[in-house]
Amino acid sequence: MIESSVRWLLSVLAIPDVGLSSVFLISILSATLLPLGSEPAVFAVVKANGALFWPAILVATVGNTLGGMIDYAMGYGAKQTFSRKGEGHWFRWLQRFGPKTLLLAWLPAVGDPLCALAGWLRMPFWQSVMYMAIGKFLRYLTMTSALLYIPDGFWRWLINLF
């Protein structure tokens, strides 16, 4: 039953009419501590319909920023549960540079925990969200633009390779 539900969900998300909602959902999930990447979804939507370049970038940025806000809230709540014992150089580094460190929220493996640590340290929420959004927007813009400049022949070759 679960397998058929997953197949149904994937088929619904693959429908072109819901491409942007798929990007939004995947972007939120990939910004939480789940090991997902949202760039392929953004690229697929933009490649299928070039007119959706800016909407896809913006929807992915909003979704990924919301996911970062969830991480922030988890860190904020975790501080009430766990002791301060073991706060190391990451905490000192974040406290030193403040919310500007969240420009790095786009980094794989590091960005999501940075958002959670910002919540743990109770950094100013809206300032943190602003820096998260800027970093994530620049990531989507850079990655999608770079992928669009790769010739279609390369993608065909890659598909045939697998």
Side-chain angles (χ1 to χ4, degrees):
M1 177 163 162
I2 292 176
E3 188 175 314
S4 63
S5 298
V6 170
R7 280 193 200 130
W8 173 83
L9 178 63
L10 290 175
S11 68
V12 167
L13 293 177
I15 298 172
D17 295 340
V18 294
L20 290 178
S21 58
S22 298
V23 166
F24 182 75
L25 179 64
I26 292 167
S27 296
I28 286 177
L29 292 175
S30 71
T32 61
L33 300 176
L34 295 174
L36 292 172
S38 54
E39 291 84 0
V42 175
F43 175 65
V45 167
V46 171
K47 193 69 174 167
N49 184 351
L52 292 178
F53 180 83
W54 288 111
I57 297 290
L58 293 175
V59 164
T61 299
V62 169
N64 213 249
T65 302
L66 285 173
M69 292 166 71
I70 291 168
D71 290 337
Y72 181 99
M74 290 188 325
Y76 191 91
K79 185 168 186 169
Q80 296 173 356
T81 306
F82 300 102
S83 72
R84 302 190 105 202
K85 187 178 180 180
E87 290 183 4
H89 74 281
W90 281 103
F91 286 91
R92 288 189 297 278
W93 183 74
L94 282 167
Q95 286 175 325
R96 179 177 174 200
F97 294 104
K100 292 177 190 160
T101 56
L102 294 175
L103 286 170
L104 302 175
W106 63 272
L107 289 170
V110 175
D112 300 334
L114 275 178
C115 296
L117 289 176
W120 177 282
L121 294 172
R122 295 195 172 32
M123 290 185 179
F125 179 74
W126 290 111
Q127 193 176 4
S128 297
V129 169
M130 178 188 70
Y131 284 112
M132 270 187 248
I134 291 169
K136 291 170 183 287
F137 172 78
L138 293 174
R139 175 191 72 201
Y140 283 116
L141 181 63
T142 303
M143 291 293 293
T144 306
S145 297
L147 289 171
L148 287 172
Y149 283 107
I150 296 173
D152 287 341
F154 173 78
W155 299 117
R156 285 190 208 98
W157 172 80
L158 191 61
I159 289 170
N160 289 333
L161 185 65
F162 292 106

